Amino acid sequence: MCAVIGAILLEPTKQDFAMLRRVFHESKIRGMHATGMSFLPKWSSGIETLIESIPADQFVDKHLHDDNLKDMIASDGNLYMIGHCRYSTSDLEYNQPMYYNEKSIVHNGVITQELPENWKELYGYDCITKNDSELVLHSDDPLREFSHMSMGVVELYQDRKLRFYRNGKRPIYLSSIPNGCIITSTADIANRAEVGGAPVEVLMNHYITMDEHLAMHIERVDVADAVDYQH
């Protein structure tokens, strides 16, 4: 059980960042072993990622305070971010977000329990970590490719887009607010963090992509025998 977080905030204020800090704090309950985030910084066209093996409250105090908020806003004046709170069942290596080229992801779930040395033969991907979430990172179509595994995922792209999705084995909720959206693992997290707006469960087996104009594209994925275990 881990927490995933996503955010697009247009021209964010200090109040917006205070709300985002609350989202991280409330997400801590789902994983206290490590915390991380990826965002699009003003100084670069790439993705910046910060990861530490500390709980979310300590991470927020270190990286999400008012002194450095301006550095996390992209060149267009908006915030594009994903975050992760990890509950580890093994070790504290290979924490999230995981990133490669123009994409960074946070994943809650399990893709495989096969040994990492067998992943190339089984799935066709060259992985550099032993975290099976890396398989999601390399896949263009995880809902189909890993249809019977468990996943709740938020992806950040260099071109200012978020894509988020889940299958029936993991939750994800979307809260729409006047200047953006917040993605949380559960409705309770959004409500306790006082995000605003009513959190809505993301439909199972649907890719939802949101861009810098808050335009939303939805793609349904048909998976045989799919069951929504969240209900």
Side-chain angles (χ1 to χ4, degrees), residues 44-110:
S44 169
S45 61
I47 298 173
E48 181 78 7
T49 298
L50 301 172
I51 304 170
E52 294 209 44
S53 297
I54 56 177
D57 52 352
Q58 297 178 33
F59 185 90
V60 164
D61 289 344
K62 186 172 182 179
H63 297 291
L64 278 171
H65 51 79
D66 288 342
D67 291 341
N68 67 356
L69 297 183
K70 64 181 183 299
D71 296 326
M72 302 175 63
I73 297 174
S75 58
D76 64 352
N78 302 329
L79 176 78
Y80 308 90
M81 174 188 285
I82 60 174
H84 191 266
C85 298
R86 183 182 180 191
Y87 177 82
S88 175
T89 57
S90 54
D91 53 46
L92 287 178
E93 293 185 287
Y94 315 121
N95 295 314
Q96 298 188 46
M98 311 201 81
Y99 50 93
Y100 179 76
N101 289 341
E102 300 177 354
K103 174 183 178 183
S104 182
I105 72 151
V106 288
H107 166 234
N108 171 33
V110 177

Short mmCIF file of all heavy atoms in Angstrom, two decimals, residues 44-110:
data_model
loop_
_atom_site.label_atom_id
_atom_site.label_comp_id
_atom_site.label_asym_id
_atom_site.label_seq_id
_atom_site.Cartn_x
_atom_site.Cartn_y
_atom_site.Cartn_z
N SER A 44 14.57 24.62 -16.38
CA SER A 44 14.91 23.52 -17.28
C SER A 44 13.69 23.08 -18.06
O SER A 44 12.55 23.25 -17.61
CB SER A 44 15.46 22.34 -16.46
OG SER A 44 15.58 21.18 -17.25
N SER A 45 13.93 22.49 -19.23
CA SER A 45 12.83 21.90 -20.00
C SER A 45 12.60 20.45 -19.63
O SER A 45 11.69 19.81 -20.14
CB SER A 45 13.15 22.00 -21.50
OG SER A 45 14.34 21.28 -21.80
N GLY A 46 13.42 19.92 -18.72
CA GLY A 46 13.30 18.53 -18.30
C GLY A 46 12.49 18.38 -17.02
O GLY A 46 11.84 19.31 -16.55
N ILE A 47 12.54 17.18 -16.46
CA ILE A 47 11.81 16.84 -15.24
C ILE A 47 12.80 16.77 -14.09
O ILE A 47 13.84 16.09 -14.19
CB ILE A 47 11.07 15.50 -15.39
CG1 ILE A 47 10.03 15.58 -16.51
CG2 ILE A 47 10.40 15.11 -14.07
CD1 ILE A 47 9.36 14.24 -16.82
N GLU A 48 12.50 17.44 -13.00
CA GLU A 48 13.32 17.39 -11.79
C GLU A 48 12.68 16.42 -10.81
O GLU A 48 11.46 16.43 -10.60
CB GLU A 48 13.41 18.78 -11.16
CG GLU A 48 14.26 18.86 -9.91
CD GLU A 48 15.75 18.88 -10.20
OE1 GLU A 48 16.13 18.95 -11.39
OE2 GLU A 48 16.53 18.83 -9.22
N THR A 49 13.50 15.56 -10.18
CA THR A 49 12.99 14.56 -9.25
C THR A 49 13.76 14.60 -7.95
O THR A 49 15.00 14.65 -7.96
CB THR A 49 13.07 13.15 -9.86
OG1 THR A 49 12.24 13.08 -11.04
CG2 THR A 49 12.58 12.09 -8.88
N LEU A 50 13.04 14.58 -6.83
CA LEU A 50 13.63 14.54 -5.50
C LEU A 50 13.06 13.34 -4.76
O LEU A 50 11.83 13.14 -4.73
CB LEU A 50 13.29 15.82 -4.72
CG LEU A 50 13.74 17.14 -5.34
CD1 LEU A 50 13.15 18.30 -4.55
CD2 LEU A 50 15.26 17.24 -5.37
N ILE A 51 13.93 12.53 -4.15
CA ILE A 51 13.51 11.33 -3.43
C ILE A 51 14.35 11.20 -2.17
O ILE A 51 15.58 11.34 -2.22
CB ILE A 51 13.69 10.05 -4.28
CG1 ILE A 51 12.95 10.15 -5.61
CG2 ILE A 51 13.22 8.82 -3.51
CD1 ILE A 51 13.30 9.03 -6.58
N GLU A 52 13.68 10.90 -1.05
CA GLU A 52 14.41 10.65 0.19
C GLU A 52 13.72 9.56 0.99
O GLU A 52 12.49 9.44 0.95
CB GLU A 52 14.52 11.93 1.02
CG GLU A 52 15.36 13.02 0.38
CD GLU A 52 16.01 13.91 1.41
OE1 GLU A 52 16.55 13.38 2.41
OE2 GLU A 52 15.97 15.14 1.22
N SER A 53 14.50 8.82 1.75
CA SER A 53 13.96 7.75 2.59
C SER A 53 13.52 8.32 3.94
O SER A 53 14.04 7.95 5.01
CB SER A 53 15.01 6.65 2.78
OG SER A 53 15.34 6.06 1.54
N ILE A 54 12.54 9.22 3.88
CA ILE A 54 11.99 9.86 5.07
C ILE A 54 10.48 9.99 4.91
O ILE A 54 9.96 9.97 3.79
CB ILE A 54 12.62 11.26 5.30
CG1 ILE A 54 12.45 12.16 4.06
CG2 ILE A 54 14.09 11.14 5.68
CD1 ILE A 54 12.98 13.57 4.24
N PRO A 55 9.74 10.12 6.02
CA PRO A 55 8.29 10.29 5.92
C PRO A 55 7.92 11.60 5.26
O PRO A 55 8.73 12.54 5.19
CB PRO A 55 7.82 10.25 7.38
CG PRO A 55 8.94 9.66 8.15
CD PRO A 55 10.20 10.02 7.42
N ALA A 56 6.68 11.70 4.83
CA ALA A 56 6.23 12.86 4.05
C ALA A 56 6.32 14.16 4.83
O ALA A 56 6.61 15.21 4.26
CB ALA A 56 4.80 12.63 3.56
N ASP A 57 6.06 14.13 6.15
CA ASP A 57 6.11 15.38 6.89
C ASP A 57 7.52 15.96 6.91
O ASP A 57 7.71 17.17 6.74
CB ASP A 57 5.55 15.21 8.30
CG ASP A 57 6.18 14.05 9.06
OD1 ASP A 57 6.94 13.27 8.46
OD2 ASP A 57 5.89 13.91 10.26
N GLN A 58 8.53 15.10 7.06
CA GLN A 58 9.91 15.57 7.02
C GLN A 58 10.29 16.03 5.62
O GLN A 58 10.99 17.03 5.44
CB GLN A 58 10.85 14.47 7.49
CG GLN A 58 10.65 14.05 8.93
CD GLN A 58 11.57 12.91 9.34
OE1 GLN A 58 12.71 12.81 8.86
NE2 GLN A 58 11.09 12.05 10.23
N PHE A 59 9.82 15.31 4.62
CA PHE A 59 10.10 15.67 3.23
C PHE A 59 9.50 17.03 2.89
O PHE A 59 10.15 17.87 2.26
CB PHE A 59 9.53 14.59 2.32
CG PHE A 59 9.83 14.77 0.86
CD1 PHE A 59 10.98 14.23 0.30
CD2 PHE A 59 8.97 15.48 0.03
CE1 PHE A 59 11.26 14.39 -1.05
CE2 PHE A 59 9.24 15.65 -1.31
CZ PHE A 59 10.39 15.09 -1.86
N VAL A 60 8.28 17.26 3.32
CA VAL A 60 7.61 18.52 3.05
C VAL A 60 8.34 19.68 3.72
O VAL A 60 8.56 20.74 3.13
CB VAL A 60 6.14 18.45 3.53
CG1 VAL A 60 5.52 19.83 3.63
CG2 VAL A 60 5.32 17.59 2.57
N ASP A 61 8.74 19.48 4.98
CA ASP A 61 9.46 20.54 5.69
C ASP A 61 10.76 20.90 4.99
O ASP A 61 11.19 22.06 5.00
CB ASP A 61 9.76 20.10 7.12
CG ASP A 61 8.52 20.05 7.99
OD1 ASP A 61 7.50 20.63 7.58
OD2 ASP A 61 8.57 19.42 9.06
N LYS A 62 11.37 19.91 4.35
CA LYS A 62 12.67 20.13 3.70
C LYS A 62 12.53 20.70 2.30
O LYS A 62 13.32 21.55 1.87
CB LYS A 62 13.44 18.81 3.65
CG LYS A 62 14.86 18.93 3.13
CD LYS A 62 15.60 17.61 3.30
CE LYS A 62 17.05 17.74 2.82
NZ LYS A 62 17.79 16.46 3.01
N HIS A 63 11.52 20.26 1.54
CA HIS A 63 11.47 20.57 0.11
C HIS A 63 10.26 21.40 -0.33
O HIS A 63 10.25 21.91 -1.45
CB HIS A 63 11.49 19.28 -0.71
CG HIS A 63 12.73 18.47 -0.54
ND1 HIS A 63 13.95 18.89 -1.02
CD2 HIS A 63 12.94 17.27 0.07
CE1 HIS A 63 14.87 17.97 -0.74
NE2 HIS A 63 14.28 16.99 -0.08
N LEU A 64 9.24 21.52 0.49
CA LEU A 64 8.03 22.22 0.07
C LEU A 64 7.73 23.43 0.95
O LEU A 64 6.58 23.76 1.19
CB LEU A 64 6.83 21.27 0.10
CG LEU A 64 6.66 20.36 -1.12
CD1 LEU A 64 5.57 19.33 -0.88
CD2 LEU A 64 6.33 21.16 -2.36
N HIS A 65 8.78 24.09 1.42
CA HIS A 65 8.57 25.29 2.21
C HIS A 65 8.52 26.51 1.30
O HIS A 65 8.89 26.47 0.12
CB HIS A 65 9.67 25.44 3.27
CG HIS A 65 11.06 25.34 2.73
ND1 HIS A 65 11.69 26.38 2.08
CD2 HIS A 65 11.94 24.31 2.73
CE1 HIS A 65 12.89 26.02 1.72
NE2 HIS A 65 13.08 24.77 2.09
N ASP A 66 8.08 27.64 1.83
CA ASP A 66 7.81 28.82 1.01
C ASP A 66 9.04 29.36 0.29
O ASP A 66 8.92 29.97 -0.78
CB ASP A 66 7.20 29.93 1.88
CG ASP A 66 5.77 29.62 2.30
OD1 ASP A 66 5.15 28.75 1.66
OD2 ASP A 66 5.28 30.25 3.24
N ASP A 67 10.22 29.13 0.85
CA ASP A 67 11.43 29.70 0.25
C ASP A 67 11.76 29.14 -1.12
O ASP A 67 12.42 29.79 -1.93
CB ASP A 67 12.63 29.49 1.18
CG ASP A 67 12.54 30.34 2.44
OD1 ASP A 67 11.77 31.32 2.42
OD2 ASP A 67 13.22 30.00 3.43
N ASN A 68 11.36 27.90 -1.38
CA ASN A 68 11.74 27.30 -2.66
C ASN A 68 10.56 27.02 -3.58
O ASN A 68 10.71 26.37 -4.61
CB ASN A 68 12.54 26.00 -2.43
CG ASN A 68 11.71 24.90 -1.80
OD1 ASN A 68 10.54 25.11 -1.46
ND2 ASN A 68 12.30 23.73 -1.62
N LEU A 69 9.37 27.50 -3.24
CA LEU A 69 8.19 27.21 -4.05
C LEU A 69 8.31 27.81 -5.46
O LEU A 69 7.89 27.20 -6.44
CB LEU A 69 6.93 27.73 -3.37
CG LEU A 69 6.59 27.08 -2.03
CD1 LEU A 69 5.28 27.63 -1.50
CD2 LEU A 69 6.54 25.56 -2.15
N LYS A 70 8.91 29.00 -5.55
CA LYS A 70 9.02 29.65 -6.87
C LYS A 70 9.85 28.82 -7.84
O LYS A 70 9.65 28.88 -9.05
CB LYS A 70 9.62 31.03 -6.71
CG LYS A 70 11.04 31.06 -6.18
CD LYS A 70 11.53 32.48 -6.03
CE LYS A 70 12.98 32.52 -5.57
NZ LYS A 70 13.17 31.88 -4.24
N ASP A 71 10.78 28.02 -7.32
CA ASP A 71 11.63 27.21 -8.19
C ASP A 71 10.91 25.98 -8.73
O ASP A 71 11.39 25.34 -9.66
CB ASP A 71 12.88 26.75 -7.43
CG ASP A 71 13.77 27.92 -7.02
OD1 ASP A 71 13.82 28.90 -7.78
OD2 ASP A 71 14.39 27.85 -5.96
N MET A 72 9.76 25.66 -8.16
CA MET A 72 9.02 24.48 -8.59
C MET A 72 7.96 24.82 -9.63
O MET A 72 7.29 23.93 -10.13
CB MET A 72 8.37 23.82 -7.37
CG MET A 72 9.38 23.41 -6.32
SD MET A 72 8.62 22.77 -4.84
CE MET A 72 7.81 21.34 -5.53
N ILE A 73 7.80 26.09 -9.94
CA ILE A 73 6.81 26.51 -10.92
C ILE A 73 7.46 26.52 -12.30
O ILE A 73 8.56 27.03 -12.48
CB ILE A 73 6.26 27.90 -10.57
CG1 ILE A 73 5.54 27.84 -9.21
CG2 ILE A 73 5.31 28.40 -11.64
CD1 ILE A 73 5.09 29.17 -8.70
N ALA A 74 6.78 25.96 -13.28
CA ALA A 74 7.32 25.87 -14.64
C ALA A 74 7.39 27.25 -15.29
O ALA A 74 6.86 28.24 -14.77
CB ALA A 74 6.45 24.93 -15.48
N SER A 75 8.02 27.30 -16.44
CA SER A 75 8.25 28.58 -17.12
C SER A 75 6.96 29.26 -17.55
O SER A 75 6.94 30.46 -17.80
CB SER A 75 9.16 28.38 -18.34
OG SER A 75 8.59 27.45 -19.24
N ASP A 76 5.85 28.52 -17.63
CA ASP A 76 4.57 29.13 -17.98
C ASP A 76 3.81 29.65 -16.77
O ASP A 76 2.68 30.11 -16.88
CB ASP A 76 3.70 28.15 -18.78
CG ASP A 76 3.30 26.92 -17.97
OD1 ASP A 76 3.81 26.75 -16.83
OD2 ASP A 76 2.49 26.12 -18.47
N GLY A 77 4.42 29.55 -15.58
CA GLY A 77 3.78 30.05 -14.37
C GLY A 77 2.91 29.05 -13.64
O GLY A 77 2.30 29.38 -12.62
N ASN A 78 2.86 27.81 -14.14
CA ASN A 78 2.00 26.78 -13.55
C ASN A 78 2.84 25.71 -12.85
O ASN A 78 4.04 25.59 -13.08
CB ASN A 78 1.13 26.13 -14.63
CG ASN A 78 0.27 27.12 -15.36
OD1 ASN A 78 -0.16 28.13 -14.78
ND2 ASN A 78 0.00 26.87 -16.63
N LEU A 79 2.17 24.91 -12.04
CA LEU A 79 2.82 23.80 -11.34
C LEU A 79 2.35 22.48 -11.93
O LEU A 79 1.13 22.25 -12.08
CB LEU A 79 2.48 23.82 -9.85
CG LEU A 79 3.03 22.62 -9.06
CD1 LEU A 79 4.51 22.80 -8.77
CD2 LEU A 79 2.27 22.43 -7.75
N TYR A 80 3.31 21.62 -12.25
CA TYR A 80 3.02 20.26 -12.73
C TYR A 80 3.84 19.32 -11.85
O TYR A 80 5.07 19.39 -11.85
CB TYR A 80 3.42 20.09 -14.19
CG TYR A 80 2.85 21.15 -15.11
CD1 TYR A 80 3.54 22.34 -15.35
CD2 TYR A 80 1.61 20.97 -15.71
CE1 TYR A 80 3.01 23.32 -16.18
CE2 TYR A 80 1.08 21.95 -16.54
CZ TYR A 80 1.78 23.11 -16.77
OH TYR A 80 1.26 24.09 -17.59
N MET A 81 3.18 18.44 -11.10
CA MET A 81 3.88 17.65 -10.10
C MET A 81 3.23 16.29 -9.91
O MET A 81 2.00 16.14 -10.02
CB MET A 81 3.89 18.38 -8.75
CG MET A 81 4.48 17.58 -7.60
SD MET A 81 4.25 18.39 -6.00
CE MET A 81 5.48 19.68 -6.15
N ILE A 82 4.05 15.28 -9.59
CA ILE A 82 3.58 14.02 -9.07
C ILE A 82 4.35 13.71 -7.80
O ILE A 82 5.46 14.20 -7.60
CB ILE A 82 3.71 12.86 -10.09
CG1 ILE A 82 5.19 12.64 -10.50
CG2 ILE A 82 2.84 13.09 -11.31
CD1 ILE A 82 5.41 11.41 -11.38
N GLY A 83 3.74 12.90 -6.91
CA GLY A 83 4.40 12.55 -5.66
C GLY A 83 4.09 11.13 -5.25
O GLY A 83 3.15 10.50 -5.75
N HIS A 84 4.88 10.62 -4.30
CA HIS A 84 4.75 9.23 -3.86
C HIS A 84 5.14 9.11 -2.40
O HIS A 84 6.12 9.71 -1.96
CB HIS A 84 5.66 8.33 -4.71
CG HIS A 84 5.43 6.86 -4.53
ND1 HIS A 84 6.15 6.09 -3.64
CD2 HIS A 84 4.57 6.01 -5.14
CE1 HIS A 84 5.73 4.84 -3.72
NE2 HIS A 84 4.77 4.76 -4.62
N CYS A 85 4.36 8.36 -1.64
CA CYS A 85 4.71 7.96 -0.28
C CYS A 85 4.78 6.44 -0.26
O CYS A 85 3.78 5.77 -0.55
CB CYS A 85 3.67 8.45 0.73
SG CYS A 85 3.50 10.24 0.81
N ARG A 86 5.94 5.91 0.07
CA ARG A 86 6.16 4.48 -0.11
C ARG A 86 6.00 3.71 1.19
O ARG A 86 6.53 4.09 2.23
CB ARG A 86 7.56 4.21 -0.66
CG ARG A 86 7.82 2.72 -0.93
CD ARG A 86 9.20 2.45 -1.44
NE ARG A 86 9.39 1.02 -1.68
CZ ARG A 86 10.56 0.44 -1.93
NH1 ARG A 86 11.65 1.19 -2.00
NH2 ARG A 86 10.65 -0.86 -2.12
N TYR A 87 5.27 2.61 1.09
CA TYR A 87 5.25 1.58 2.11
C TYR A 87 6.08 0.42 1.58
O TYR A 87 5.73 -0.20 0.58
CB TYR A 87 3.82 1.12 2.40
CG TYR A 87 3.74 -0.01 3.40
CD1 TYR A 87 3.79 0.26 4.77
CD2 TYR A 87 3.63 -1.33 2.99
CE1 TYR A 87 3.73 -0.77 5.68
CE2 TYR A 87 3.57 -2.36 3.90
CZ TYR A 87 3.63 -2.08 5.25
OH TYR A 87 3.58 -3.10 6.17
N SER A 88 7.21 0.16 2.22
CA SER A 88 8.14 -0.85 1.71
C SER A 88 7.90 -2.19 2.38
O SER A 88 7.77 -2.28 3.61
CB SER A 88 9.58 -0.41 1.96
OG SER A 88 10.48 -1.43 1.56
N THR A 89 7.85 -3.23 1.58
CA THR A 89 7.75 -4.59 2.10
C THR A 89 9.08 -5.32 2.01
O THR A 89 9.18 -6.48 2.38
CB THR A 89 6.69 -5.39 1.33
OG1 THR A 89 7.03 -5.39 -0.07
CG2 THR A 89 5.31 -4.79 1.52
N SER A 90 10.11 -4.63 1.51
CA SER A 90 11.41 -5.30 1.36
C SER A 90 12.54 -4.40 1.84
O SER A 90 13.00 -4.49 2.97
CB SER A 90 11.63 -5.72 -0.10
OG SER A 90 11.46 -4.61 -0.96
N ASP A 91 12.99 -3.47 0.98
CA ASP A 91 14.11 -2.61 1.33
C ASP A 91 13.77 -1.18 0.96
O ASP A 91 12.66 -0.87 0.56
CB ASP A 91 15.39 -3.07 0.62
CG ASP A 91 15.17 -3.19 -0.88
OD1 ASP A 91 14.59 -2.26 -1.48
OD2 ASP A 91 15.59 -4.21 -1.47
N LEU A 92 14.73 -0.29 1.13
CA LEU A 92 14.51 1.12 0.81
C LEU A 92 15.28 1.55 -0.42
O LEU A 92 15.60 2.72 -0.59
CB LEU A 92 14.87 1.99 2.01
CG LEU A 92 13.86 1.92 3.16
CD1 LEU A 92 14.33 2.78 4.32
CD2 LEU A 92 12.48 2.34 2.71
N GLU A 93 15.58 0.59 -1.29
CA GLU A 93 16.21 0.93 -2.56
C GLU A 93 15.13 1.21 -3.61
O GLU A 93 13.99 0.79 -3.48
CB GLU A 93 17.08 -0.23 -3.05
CG GLU A 93 18.31 -0.49 -2.19
CD GLU A 93 19.18 -1.56 -2.79
OE1 GLU A 93 18.79 -2.74 -2.74
OE2 GLU A 93 20.26 -1.22 -3.32
N TYR A 94 15.52 1.95 -4.64
CA TYR A 94 14.69 2.15 -5.82
C TYR A 94 13.32 2.74 -5.49
O TYR A 94 12.28 2.23 -5.86
CB TYR A 94 14.53 0.82 -6.58
CG TYR A 94 15.81 0.06 -6.73
CD1 TYR A 94 15.94 -1.25 -6.23
CD2 TYR A 94 16.90 0.63 -7.37
CE1 TYR A 94 17.12 -1.94 -6.38
CE2 TYR A 94 18.09 -0.07 -7.51
CZ TYR A 94 18.19 -1.35 -7.01
OH TYR A 94 19.36 -2.04 -7.14
N ASN A 95 13.36 3.84 -4.74
CA ASN A 95 12.12 4.52 -4.38
C ASN A 95 11.58 5.31 -5.58
O ASN A 95 12.23 5.45 -6.60
CB ASN A 95 12.37 5.43 -3.18
CG ASN A 95 12.74 4.63 -1.94
OD1 ASN A 95 12.11 3.63 -1.62
ND2 ASN A 95 13.77 5.05 -1.23
N GLN A 96 10.39 5.85 -5.41
CA GLN A 96 9.70 6.55 -6.49
C GLN A 96 9.61 8.04 -6.20
O GLN A 96 9.71 8.44 -5.04
CB GLN A 96 8.31 5.95 -6.67
CG GLN A 96 8.31 4.49 -7.05
CD GLN A 96 6.93 3.98 -7.42
OE1 GLN A 96 6.17 4.60 -8.16
NE2 GLN A 96 6.58 2.83 -6.88
N PRO A 97 9.38 8.83 -7.26
CA PRO A 97 9.05 8.52 -8.65
C PRO A 97 10.20 7.82 -9.39
O PRO A 97 11.36 7.97 -9.03
CB PRO A 97 8.78 9.89 -9.28
CG PRO A 97 8.47 10.79 -8.12
CD PRO A 97 9.31 10.29 -7.01
N MET A 98 9.80 7.11 -10.45
CA MET A 98 10.75 6.50 -11.37
C MET A 98 10.66 7.28 -12.68
O MET A 98 9.58 7.68 -13.10
CB MET A 98 10.44 5.02 -11.58
CG MET A 98 10.24 4.25 -10.30
SD MET A 98 10.48 2.48 -10.49
CE MET A 98 12.26 2.38 -10.41
N TYR A 99 11.80 7.52 -13.29
CA TYR A 99 11.81 8.40 -14.45
C TYR A 99 12.77 7.89 -15.52
O TYR A 99 13.75 7.20 -15.25
CB TYR A 99 12.19 9.84 -14.04
CG TYR A 99 13.44 9.93 -13.21
CD1 TYR A 99 14.69 10.14 -13.79
CD2 TYR A 99 13.38 9.79 -11.83
CE1 TYR A 99 15.84 10.22 -13.02
CE2 TYR A 99 14.53 9.86 -11.05
CZ TYR A 99 15.75 10.08 -11.65
OH TYR A 99 16.89 10.15 -10.88
N TYR A 100 12.42 8.24 -16.76
CA TYR A 100 13.21 7.82 -17.92
C TYR A 100 12.88 8.77 -19.07
O TYR A 100 11.70 8.92 -19.43
CB TYR A 100 12.88 6.38 -18.30
CG TYR A 100 13.63 5.86 -19.50
CD1 TYR A 100 14.98 5.49 -19.40
CD2 TYR A 100 13.01 5.72 -20.73
CE1 TYR A 100 15.67 5.01 -20.50
CE2 TYR A 100 13.69 5.24 -21.83
CZ TYR A 100 15.02 4.88 -21.71
OH TYR A 100 15.71 4.41 -22.79
N ASN A 101 13.91 9.41 -19.60
CA ASN A 101 13.73 10.35 -20.71
C ASN A 101 12.71 11.43 -20.37
O ASN A 101 12.92 12.20 -19.44
CB ASN A 101 13.37 9.61 -21.99
CG ASN A 101 14.55 8.82 -22.55
OD1 ASN A 101 15.70 9.08 -22.20
ND2 ASN A 101 14.27 7.86 -23.40
N GLU A 102 11.60 11.50 -21.06
CA GLU A 102 10.64 12.60 -20.91
C GLU A 102 9.44 12.23 -20.05
O GLU A 102 8.39 12.88 -20.12
CB GLU A 102 10.16 13.03 -22.30
CG GLU A 102 11.29 13.52 -23.21
CD GLU A 102 10.81 13.88 -24.60
OE1 GLU A 102 9.62 13.64 -24.89
OE2 GLU A 102 11.61 14.41 -25.38
N LYS A 103 9.59 11.23 -19.18
CA LYS A 103 8.45 10.70 -18.43
C LYS A 103 8.88 10.32 -17.02
O LYS A 103 9.96 9.77 -16.81
CB LYS A 103 7.90 9.49 -19.18
CG LYS A 103 6.80 8.70 -18.52
CD LYS A 103 6.46 7.50 -19.41
CE LYS A 103 5.42 6.59 -18.86
NZ LYS A 103 5.19 5.41 -19.73
N SER A 104 8.01 10.62 -16.05
CA SER A 104 8.22 10.19 -14.67
C SER A 104 6.90 9.62 -14.16
O SER A 104 5.83 10.12 -14.51
CB SER A 104 8.67 11.37 -13.80
OG SER A 104 8.93 10.96 -12.47
N ILE A 105 6.95 8.57 -13.33
CA ILE A 105 5.73 7.93 -12.86
C ILE A 105 5.78 7.67 -11.36
O ILE A 105 6.84 7.55 -10.76
CB ILE A 105 5.47 6.59 -13.58
CG1 ILE A 105 6.46 5.52 -13.10
CG2 ILE A 105 5.50 6.73 -15.08
CD1 ILE A 105 5.95 4.11 -13.15
N VAL A 106 4.58 7.60 -10.77
CA VAL A 106 4.41 7.05 -9.43
C VAL A 106 3.36 5.95 -9.54
O VAL A 106 2.34 6.11 -10.22
CB VAL A 106 4.01 8.13 -8.41
CG1 VAL A 106 5.19 9.04 -8.11
CG2 VAL A 106 2.82 8.97 -8.88
N HIS A 107 3.61 4.84 -8.85
CA HIS A 107 2.79 3.64 -9.01
C HIS A 107 2.50 3.04 -7.65
O HIS A 107 3.39 2.88 -6.82
CB HIS A 107 3.54 2.61 -9.88
CG HIS A 107 2.96 1.24 -9.85
ND1 HIS A 107 3.71 0.12 -9.54
CD2 HIS A 107 1.70 0.78 -10.10
CE1 HIS A 107 2.94 -0.96 -9.59
NE2 HIS A 107 1.73 -0.59 -9.92
N ASN A 108 1.25 2.70 -7.42
CA ASN A 108 0.83 1.94 -6.26
C ASN A 108 0.31 0.60 -6.76
O ASN A 108 -0.63 0.56 -7.55
CB ASN A 108 -0.29 2.67 -5.50
CG ASN A 108 -0.90 1.81 -4.41
OD1 ASN A 108 -0.23 0.98 -3.79
ND2 ASN A 108 -2.19 2.00 -4.17
N GLY A 109 0.94 -0.48 -6.32
CA GLY A 109 0.51 -1.80 -6.75
C GLY A 109 1.67 -2.75 -6.94
O GLY A 109 2.81 -2.46 -6.56
N VAL A 110 1.36 -3.88 -7.53
CA VAL A 110 2.36 -4.92 -7.80
C VAL A 110 2.19 -5.38 -9.24
O VAL A 110 1.09 -5.72 -9.67
CB VAL A 110 2.18 -6.12 -6.84
CG1 VAL A 110 3.17 -7.22 -7.19
CG2 VAL A 110 2.34 -5.69 -5.39
#
